[in-house]
Amino acid sequence: MRVLMVAPGTRGDVAPMAGLGSRLQGLGFEVAIAANPAYAPLVVNSGCEFRPLAGDLTELIKQPAPGAKASGGLLTFWRKLGEYMESAATGTLAAAEAGADVILANSVAPYAYDIAEAFGIPALGAHLQPTEPSAAYPPVIMNSARSLGAWGNKIIGERAAAGPAPYDAPSARLRKELGLGKLSRAAGERARRKAGAAILHGISPTVLPRPADWHPGLVMAGYWWPAVSPDWQPPADLVDFLADGPAPVFVGFGSSAHIDPGFILEATRRAGVRAVVQGANGGVGGILGDDAISVGGIPHEWLFPRVAAVVHHAGAGTTAAGLRAGVPTVGVPVYTDQPLWASRVASLGAGPAPIPYKKLSPESLGDAIKAAVTRGSYAAHAQHVAAGIAREDGTVPVVAALRNLPTTVQ
C-alpha cells in the first residue's frame, strides 16, 4: 500500500509523521511525505520518499522576543498564510499525482480530502492536536486553555470549526479544478463528522484522556515519535558540558519564537541552574558562559533524559518528548494548541503553572524553573506519566486503520 502523508507546517508537524512513516516502512508500507523543502533531509533520513510543498511557515509564525512589537499587521499575516496554504494545496495535488493508495492528512490540510475524492482513494486524518469540537476542551484556535465549561467548549468549538479558515479558498479552488461539486471545507468536515470518518490522533491518552463525546472514528492512537538516525553522535562539547556539573535545564522555543540568550541566561541564573539553550546564536552550538551552552538540533530522545527539566513553548512534539523523558516541564505557550499542552502538563502535576509567552519575564521564568527543579513532586509526577506513555505504541492503531480500509484500494 502506498501511503502519502501530507504535512504542511513546521518541523514539529513533520517530525512525528516522519517517525510514523519510518515505522510503517518497516512494516511493508511504501510511504511518501509531502512537506516543505526545509524538511527534505528529515523525511529522507527517516527512510521515506520526499515530495515537496512549496513555502516555509517558520518565519511567518515566529513571534518576536518578549516585550518587542510584532512587524506587520493581522491582515498581512492572514494574506501570507493564505498564500502558504494555496502553495501547500497545489503541492499536495502534485504529490498525489505521483502515486498514492491512501492519504494521511494533518489538521491544516483538509484539501487532501478533496484530492482523495477526485482520485477515488481513501483519506484519513492524522492529527497532532484535538480539533474535534468537544466539551472536554476549548477550541485550540482560541490560543487559550481556559475552559468555557462543557457546554461553552462544545458550542464555541462548533462555531470555530464552521468559521472561515486560511485553507477554505484552496479547497474550493481544487474542487473546481478537479471537477468536483461545490462543497465548502466546513460542510465537508460536518459530513465526515456525521459519517464517523476516521481521524487518528498522535496523542497519548495518558496525557489527554479520550473525550467521552468523541464519535467512534476518532482514535487516540498514542504519540508518534521522530526517527533518530542510528549513526547520530552528540557534539563533543555538549557531552563535556553535561559531564562537567549537575544536570542542566533545557530551554528552547522551536519554531515559535525568537531566542534572546541574555534573557534566557538571566532567568536560568536567577534559578541557579546550568542551561542548554537551543536556538541561540542562530542555532549554532557554542559556549554561552561557564554555566550555559548553545546547541542546534539535538534529538530530544537523547538529550531530555539527561537534563533536570525542560523549558519550552509547549508544542505537541516537544511536550511529548519531555513527558516521555520523565522530567518536569515549564511550559511557555505561544499560540494554537500550545496552551492546551502546557495546561495538561500542569494538570498532571508534571510541572508548574504555564507562563503565557506575552507575559514572560526573566523573573517569572526563573522562579518557575527553580520550582520545577526543587519540588520533588513535579519529577515524581513526570515519571508517573512517562511510565504510562511507555506502555503505548501509537503506530498500532494506524496500522489497524490502514489494513481495515475498503478493499477498493488499489
Side-chain angles (χ1 to χ4, degrees), residues 8-381:
T10 65
R11 184 181 184 88
D13 298 295
V14 180
M17 303 305 290
L20 173 62
S22 179
R23 289 285 306 277
L24 293 178
Q25 286 271 144
L27 295 170
F29 295 87
E30 297 179 22
V31 181
I33 300 178
N36 292 158
Y39 310 116
L42 172 63
V43 171
V44 173
N45 290 339
S46 73
C48 300
E49 178 190 349
F50 175 74
R51 297 181 186 176
L53 304 177
D56 182 357
L57 192 61
T58 302
E59 290 304 316
L60 178 60
I61 65 172
K62 184 170 287 187
Q63 301 297 297
K69 292 184 178 180
S71 60
L74 184 59
L75 289 178
T76 299
F77 170 80
W78 277 101
R79 176 180 58 80
K80 291 182 177 179
L81 185 58
E83 292 171 352
Y84 174 85
M85 291 299 176
E86 285 283 2
S87 295
T90 299
T92 299
L93 176 57
E97 289 174 336
D101 297 316
V102 60
I103 298 177
L104 297 184
N106 74 9
S107 60
V108 296
Y111 37 79
Y113 288 94
D114 304 306
I115 294 169
E117 180 183 341
F119 282 42
I121 60 176
L124 303 175
H127 295 186
L128 302 177
Q129 53 283 121
T131 59
E132 178 73 11
S134 172
Y137 46 78
V140 296
I141 64 170
M142 288 180 59
N143 297 326
S144 171
R146 180 174 175 269
S147 177
L148 305 171
W151 182 87
N153 288 343
K154 184 79 168 184
I155 295 299
I156 299 301
E158 290 173 349
R159 291 182 178 179
Y167 27 72
D168 289 349
S171 293
R173 173 178 61 82
L174 281 177
R175 291 192 69 84
K176 184 176 181 180
E177 290 179 3
L178 295 169
L180 301 173
K182 283 188 176 182
L183 181 71
S184 71
R185 183 273 313 167
E189 289 182 350
R190 285 195 299 271
R192 289 191 292 274
R193 187 175 300 123
K194 185 176 181 180
I199 298 179
L200 305 159
H201 294 81
I203 299 170
S204 166
T206 297
V207 176
L208 180 66
R210 187 182 186 279
D213 59 357
W214 273 15
H215 66 71
L218 301 175
V219 179
M220 197 72 84
Y223 287 131
W224 302 323
W225 301 111
V228 177
S229 170
D231 299 327
W232 182 85
Q233 294 293 325
D237 59 349
L238 176 58
V239 173
D240 292 342
F241 178 80
L242 293 172
D244 196 32
V249 166
F250 167 88
V251 185
F253 292 93
S255 303
S256 297
H258 291 282
I259 292 286
D260 178 355
F263 183 100
I264 298 300
L265 293 180
E266 185 178 349
T268 55
R269 287 166 182 166
R270 177 184 178 89
V273 298
R274 304 196 309 148
V276 175
V277 183
Q278 188 175 57
N281 299 335
V284 178
I287 300 299
L288 297 175
D290 293 339
D291 58 353
I293 186 172
S294 172
V295 298
I298 302 292
H300 293 161
E301 178 181 329
W302 182 88
L303 178 59
F304 283 6
R306 292 169 167 81
V307 302
V310 292
V311 181
H312 54 72
H313 58 298
T318 315
T319 300
L323 293 173
R324 182 192 199 186
V327 297
T329 294
V330 176
V332 186
V334 184
Y335 43 56
T336 58
D337 59 327
Q338 296 166 8
L340 172 64
W341 302 127
S343 175
R344 289 304 305 152
V345 168
S347 295
L348 291 165
I355 307 171
Y357 183 73
K358 290 183 178 180
K359 297 182 178 180
L360 188 64
S361 69
E363 293 77 18
S364 64
L365 184 58
D367 291 347
I369 293 172
K370 186 173 182 179
V373 299
T374 57
R375 295 182 189 172
S377 61
Y378 290 140
H381 283 108

